[in-house]
Amino acid sequence: MRAMRLTAWGQGPVLTEVERPAPHGVEVLVRVEAVGLCHSDLHVVDSTPGALPYRLPFTLGHEVAGHVAELGPDAGGLAPGDRVVIYGPWGCGECSRCAAGRDNYCDRRGGLDRHGVGLGQDGGMAEYVLVPSARHLVPIGDLPAEQAAPLSDAGLTSYHAIAGLRHTLGDPASTAVVIGVGGLGHLAVQILRATTPGRVLAVDIREDALDLAHRSGAHFTTPVRDDTAHVLRTRTGGVGVDAVLDFVGNGATLDLAAALLRPGGELALVGSGGGRLTVCKPGALPPGARLSLPFWGTRPELAEVVALARSGALHVETEQFPLSEAPEAFARLRRGEVRGRVVLVPE
Ligand code: FEH
Ligand code: ZN
Ligand code: ZN
């Protein structure tokens, strides 16, 4: 079968032929119908030797949907043909976090040489992917695969970040700001609109992203300008916003987030832009501010995201490419020429 594989650090992934895997024990073989392309794939591909504990070669792709092709002899709970999305952050499988389906915060993550599907072990940029256990599979019913795959990373990461600051958004007069309306941000806008009563404001540098924010349900959108903090604070009557989700995470967006926050407000830093924010008292952050650095999400949350999508509350903006054109998709993502989420479809 064909697979997009990382074979050498510092060199781009290559589309190559590999043997189709066979499931053993409790493993499940999934026929891939769609796999998302994430900025983290670029980070992995661009990593220098030794930066990541992963052993090469392996197939990329950590945002995967498809159907069960074959079950290992000891696998249960699913049948061939069942349509599924893959919960991606596979942990040690033994600690209390993994036992609770919180593999994203596995206690032993630091000692693992792999971090999940397509992250140091073979992933979904291929026709088939082997899943260690049925516990990592969430049924998707009749959801189209290109809608389901992005839910497992872009959707789940946004949902998990919102879960951590939802307590500030229970009042219809509350305000949340989404900074960066790309593959994750546009789903965050939709999840906020579907699960909180407050107002949702969106910020981005690109007009097409602001248009996507508007179509996703944002009450107000603005490009990044010198007076963006003033413009957005004015929308709150001057008190500031209850929550900020920063999907960019560079210095400018973190400074903007700090300038927007209301006393007691929440800042979730999701993007890996490498920005820094000095935390001190007194300082840029208001009294009572809380900061989180959420990572991916939990398996129970993935089931909740899928249920939201199946209710019609979520629509993923996608740009689809056949798997054979994965190198072009990588290049387009790298140049920032993608609207929404890139999804690869194995032929
Ligand atoms: C995956 C692996 C490592 C860092 C970040 C990620 C995210 O894309 C997961 O949502
Ligand atoms: Zn990702
Ligand atoms: Zn664990």
Side-chain angles (χ1 to χ4, degrees):
M1 71 176 188
R2 282 195 297 180
M4 191 71 169
R5 288 171 70 79
L6 191 56
T7 57
W9 294 114
Q11 293 180 22
V14 290
L15 205 53
T16 183
E17 275 297 318
V18 294
E19 197 171 325
R20 170 179 156 178
H24 298 91
V26 296
E27 295 176 333
V28 180
L29 185 67
V30 172
R31 173 68 167 91
V32 178
E33 296 177 25
V35 53
L37 175 56
C38 177
H39 277 99
S40 302
D41 291 308
L42 299 181
H43 294 159
V44 170
V45 165
D46 295 343
S47 294
T48 53
L52 293 170
Y54 305 159
R55 282 179 290 176
L56 300 180
F58 65 89
T59 301
L60 293 164
H62 60 270
E63 187 174 74
V64 191
H67 61 266
V68 174
E70 190 180 341
L71 294 159
D74 305 317
L78 288 165
D82 286 354
R83 303 188 66 248
V84 292
V85 67
I86 298 175
Y87 175 66
W90 304 338
C92 70
E94 295 165 358
C95 74
S96 62
R97 299 293 181 74
C98 291
R102 299 175 64 205
D103 297 55
N104 55 320
Y105 298 138
C106 168
D107 284 323
R108 299 180 183 141
R109 189 176 193 275
L112 301 177
D113 63 358
R114 57 192 63 190
H115 290 147
V117 63
L119 298 164
Q121 57 196 105
D122 286 342
M125 287 187 193
E127 293 160 72
Y128 292 89
V129 60
L130 203 55
V131 180
S133 164
R135 77 182 182 95
H136 295 311
L137 299 175
V138 175
I140 58 174
D142 57 358
L143 263 186
E146 71 278 359
Q147 286 290 307
L151 300 179
S152 63
D153 181 9
L156 177 56
T157 300
S158 301
Y159 187 86
H160 179 65
I162 291 167
L165 46 74
R166 182 181 303 285
H167 66 94
T168 67
L169 300 174
D171 186 321
S174 64
T175 305
V177 170
V178 171
I179 301 178
V181 189
L184 281 76
H186 85 288
L187 290 173
V189 171
Q190 295 179 51
I191 293 165
L192 285 164
R193 289 301 319 274
T195 64
T196 68
R199 288 162 305 171
V200 179
L201 316 180
V203 183
D204 200 290
I205 55 175
R206 299 187 325 182
E207 275 310 314
D208 62 340
L210 295 176
D211 175 58
L212 176 56
H214 177 70
R215 289 187 283 115
S216 295
H219 294 97
F220 177 77
T221 67
T222 177
V224 178
R225 308 181 330 192
D226 292 343
D227 64 346
T228 299
H230 172 71
V231 168
L232 293 178
R233 288 187 73 95
T234 303
R235 309 288 300 188
T236 70
V239 298
V241 304
D242 300 277
V244 179
L245 294 128
D246 184 351
F247 289 99
V248 177
N250 64 31
T253 56
L254 283 172
D255 290 342
L256 172 60
L260 290 172
L261 273 186
R262 187 176 188 179
E266 284 261 8
L267 166 57
L269 170 55
V270 186
S272 305
R276 294 170 181 267
L277 182 66
T278 301
V279 177
C280 64
K281 280 188 169 184
L285 290 164
R290 293 150 66 108
L291 176 64
S292 63
L293 284 79
F295 174 68
W296 217 328
T298 70
R299 197 251 185 236
E301 288 172 331
L302 179 54
E304 293 165 18
V305 176
V306 168
L308 260 186
R310 294 185 68 184
S311 76
L314 301 183
H315 172 76
V316 186
E317 184 89 0
T318 63
E319 286 201 39
Q320 297 178 38
F321 296 78
L323 180 62
S324 56
E325 294 179 17
E328 170 57 19
F330 271 79
R332 290 272 306 278
L333 181 66
R334 198 180 284 282
R335 293 195 299 263
E337 294 172 357
V338 168
R339 189 183 64 253
R341 197 69 163 175
V342 171
V343 175
L344 306 175
V345 180
E347 289 91 329

